[in-house]
Structures are given as C-alpha cells and as structure tokens.
Amino acid sequence: MSVATFDILLASLRSGLTFQDTTMRRSISPEERLLLTLRFLATGNSFASLHYEYLLGISTISGIVCNTCQLIWQRLREAVMPTPTADDWLRIADGFYQSSQFPNCIGALDGKHIRVKKPPHSGSQYFNFRQCFSIVLLALVDSNYRFIIVDIGAYGSTAAVHIFCSSRMGERFRANQLALPEPRRLPGSSASAAPFVIVADEGFALSPHVMRAFPRRDLDDRKRIFNYRLSRARRYVECAFGILSNKWRVFMSSLQMSPQNATLVIQACVILHNFTRIHDVPSEPEVAPFPTTTSVGLDHNPQGRPGSAGLAVRELFADYFISPEGALSWQLNSICGTWR
C-alpha cells in the first residue's frame, strides 16, 4: 500500500478511530490503530509478537484489530464493493469479453477455505476435506480481480453448492434481485439471446445463470473447447484469491481467533483488497462494449427437469465457441492433448 493510499484510507476512517483523552491516559492515535491493524493483516504476526513491537497489551491489540476491521467493513463497503446495478453488470461483462473472450459473463465464482483455530464444542462443523478447520469465503470476482459480492462465514464442512444455495448471494440470484440485464445475443451471432452467466467449477450446480464445465468423460472437441473457454474466464477468481493471500499474509497460517473475529478479519481484507486495486493499480483503458440486439431469450421457466434450462444455455455457448463468429484462432491448438 502506497503512502498516498494509506492517507486516503486514514482520512476515511479517522473519525471512527479517534477516541477521547482522559486525565488518566492519552488515547491511542488513529494512525497507530490503523498501522497496527494493517501490520497484523499484512504479516500475520501474532498478537504476542505485536505486543513487543508496539508496546501495547495483547488484549488491547486484539480489541484494536477487531474494532478497526469492523470499521473498515462498515465505512468502505459501499464505496469499494457496492451492490451492482444493470450498468455495472454490463461493464463487467464487457471486461470479461475483452480479457478472456467469454461473452455475457458477469463474474467468476469460487470459494476459499480460510483456516481457523477449532472453536470449542464445534464438533466437525468446521472440519473440511483438507483435514483442517476452516470457514469459507465465497466470492464473485470481475476481470480486474476485484470482489463483486462475497459471502463469509460458512462452515468448512459444507459443500460449495450448498453454501451458494443458502447464501444471500444465491437467494438473490434465484429471486432475480440483482438487477441482471436482459438476455442479449452473443457477439456476431444470429441465434437466440443468451442470459448473463457466472462461471464456476464442478463444485457448483449448473443453472441458467451458472455455467460449469462438461464432465471429463466422453469429451469431443466441442466440449473441450467450451471447457477451455470457461477455464480462461474462471481463472480470475483463482488469481484474486492468490493476490488476496499474498498481500494479506494473515491467511498464510491458521487464524488464532474465534470464527466471529475471523469473519471480521476476512471482511476487512476483502475491502482492503478492492481498495488497493482501485487506488494503487493503474486504471485500465475503457473497454468498448459490443453492440447488443433485442430478441426472444431462452425460456427461464421451462417444463421438465430443473436442469434443462442450464443445459440449454451451456449448449448455446458451446455451439457459439465453435462457430465462425465465436471461435478463437488458437483454441484447437490449446486443447490438444487435454482430457484425451
């Protein structure tokens, strides 16, 4: 984080970090409170280690870190991770088309297990398939590696598909409360309009707005090309998690705190990730959106089994990726030797 970015962050939080001096002692300054919190998040040092660095009590450090993390989430969430509007979704989709050539994509979805100390009397609720205790950060990411929507705090033992379905994010997708744009034709295509979709891995269920790869059996070139094109768009969420962990190295080891306080730390790191991506990373050139046309979209309430609409959308994208309008010159060479 640059000095200029730190000054902007401090100005945004100063009023919430300022406390009154008393006749008994002077309050800890906003600068020191913020520096202490950023030091903990950026290094992952224990509170005992920070006790010797800052000459403050361990309980005092714990309180400062938790209060500052909560303040970062409350003060900056609307500024750096606002609820997307229809125009925002279109801008995100244009970004994915420009960078990964996957049209009508409004985000890459995945979950990250954040290791925590085993909470008392929790049984196996937090015990995940990696043989450690964790809570889950479920995130939707754009092509600039920024978090669009997050859901934090699910048990590590819960499958990704169940976390998404029971999360506020999943509920709003199903209830169509996220102001998604109307379906539009894929660039250069004369086929039916395609809905806007998010891309995910095999841990999520296929639906009209969630695309996952074809199963790795009986794959022909058409399916391999779809899987390749989908993976090019999905890699952004993996990269975003990597950037998050490498910048905020508190995630390199297990969080020695309660799940409630761990959730505050994760929330703060997500906000700070977006904040530094906005203020420290040079802005990228404007992405020119491709023209849209109005046509009759796919049936969003089809008769038959529930997955039929999702299958139809995936087939539509798969056909487009091998058509002259949607094919990439290098895609056949890229899939040679994969999943054979």
Side-chain angles (χ1 to χ4, degrees), residues 118-131:
K118 181 184 182 299
H121 314 296
S122 62
S124 61
Q125 284 181 323
Y126 294 89
F127 195 68
N128 62 37
F129 66 97
R130 296 178 179 175
Q131 310 298 306

Side-chain angles (χ1 to χ4, degrees), residues 318-334:
D319 290 337
Y320 174 75
F321 289 149
I322 61 172
S323 68
E325 297 82 11
L328 300 177
S329 59
W330 66 84
Q331 63 187 21
L332 279 175
N333 292 332
S334 298

Side-chain angles (χ1 to χ4, degrees), residues 1 5-14 17 34 38 68-83 147 248 267-276 278-279:
M1 180 182 295
T5 301
F6 176 83
D7 290 339
I8 296 172
L9 179 62
L10 179 62
S12 302
L13 304 176
R14 180 178 290 277
L17 296 176
L34 184 56
L38 294 179
T68 306
C69 287
Q70 185 175 23
L71 184 66
I72 289 171
W73 175 260
Q74 293 173 347
R75 290 285 181 90
L76 300 178
R77 179 181 55 179
E78 290 301 324
V80 303
M81 197 173 62
T83 301
F147 295 105
W248 309 108
Q267 288 176 338
C269 288
V270 166
I271 295 301
L272 291 171
H273 170 91
N274 279 13
F275 189 84
T276 54
I278 292 171
H279 293 282

Side-chain angles (χ1 to χ4, degrees), residues 149-186:
I149 305 174
V150 296
D151 184 86
I152 304 168
Y155 297 136
S157 61
T158 310
V161 61
H162 298 305
I163 295 174
F164 179 67
C165 290
S166 60
S167 68
R168 177 66 175 157
M169 185 195 317
E171 292 174 354
R172 294 175 70 186
F173 263 107
R174 290 194 300 274
N176 197 24
Q177 296 177 347
L178 287 176
L180 296 182
E182 291 297 318
R184 67 179 179 186
R185 288 179 180 171
L186 302 178

Side-chain angles (χ1 to χ4, degrees), residues 240-253:
F241 286 148
I243 295 170
L244 179 74
S245 296
N246 279 280
K247 182 178 285 291
W248 309 108
R249 301 184 73 83
V250 68
F251 297 129
M252 291 296 185
S253 60

Side-chain angles (χ1 to χ4, degrees), residues 68-334:
T68 306
C69 287
Q70 185 175 23
L71 184 66
I72 289 171
W73 175 260
Q74 293 173 347
R75 290 285 181 90
L76 300 178
R77 179 181 55 179
E78 290 301 324
V80 303
M81 197 173 62
T83 301
T85 63
D87 290 338
D88 293 329
W89 290 123
L90 290 173
R91 176 184 54 78
I92 293 169
D94 293 336
F96 270 104
Y97 184 65
Q98 176 80 10
S99 60
S100 64
Q101 292 76 52
F102 198 107
N104 286 23
C105 177
I106 56 172
L109 177 69
D110 204 359
K112 177 178 176 61
H113 286 270
I114 308 295
R115 289 179 292 164
V116 297
K117 179 179 67 175
K118 181 184 182 299
H121 314 296
S122 62
S124 61
Q125 284 181 323
Y126 294 89
F127 195 68
N128 62 37
F129 66 97
R130 296 178 179 175
Q131 310 298 306
C132 63
F133 297 91
S134 67
I135 59 178
V136 179
L137 163 61
L138 185 71
L140 187 68
V141 174
D142 67 12
S143 60
N144 291 319
Y145 310 106
R146 298 176 192 166
F147 295 105
I148 307 169
I149 305 174
V150 296
D151 184 86
I152 304 168
Y155 297 136
S157 61
T158 310
V161 61
H162 298 305
I163 295 174
F164 179 67
C165 290
S166 60
S167 68
R168 177 66 175 157
M169 185 195 317
E171 292 174 354
R172 294 175 70 186
F173 263 107
R174 290 194 300 274
N176 197 24
Q177 296 177 347
L178 287 176
L180 296 182
E182 291 297 318
R184 67 179 179 186
R185 288 179 180 171
L186 302 178
S189 173
S190 59
S192 300
F196 287 84
V197 299
I198 58 180
V199 293
D201 62 14
E202 292 84 353
F204 297 88
L206 182 69
S207 73
H209 290 294
V210 180
M211 290 290 100
R212 52 174 285 178
F214 285 101
R216 297 188 181 188
R217 61 179 183 274
D218 301 326
L219 287 175
D220 54 21
D221 285 347
R222 171 176 167 274
K223 293 180 179 179
R224 289 191 183 91
I225 288 173
F226 174 85
N227 289 357
Y228 166 69
R229 298 286 291 272
L230 182 136
S231 69
R232 296 185 75 247
R234 201 183 67 79
R235 63 190 167 93
Y236 285 95
V237 66
E238 302 285 357
C239 293
F241 286 148
I243 295 170
L244 179 74
S245 296
N246 279 280
K247 182 178 285 291
W248 309 108
R249 301 184 73 83
V250 68
F251 297 129
M252 291 296 185
S253 60
S254 177
L255 297 179
Q256 301 299 306
M257 55 183 62
S258 68
Q260 293 74 25
N261 289 341
T263 298
L264 295 178
V265 168
I266 299 168
Q267 288 176 338
C269 288
V270 166
I271 295 301
L272 291 171
H273 170 91
N274 279 13
F275 189 84
T276 54
R277 294 293 301 174
I278 292 171
H279 293 282
D280 280 350
V281 177
S283 58
E284 299 184 3
E286 278 297 315
V287 176
F290 54 79
T292 60
T293 56
T294 303
S295 65
V296 179
L298 294 171
D299 183 10
H300 288 263
N301 295 294
Q303 300 297 322
R305 63 191 182 92
S308 59
L311 291 170
V313 173
R314 185 166 66 179
E315 294 295 326
L316 178 62
F317 277 96
D319 290 337
Y320 174 75
F321 289 149
I322 61 172
S323 68
E325 297 82 11
L328 300 177
S329 59
W330 66 84
Q331 63 187 21
L332 279 175
N333 292 332
S334 298

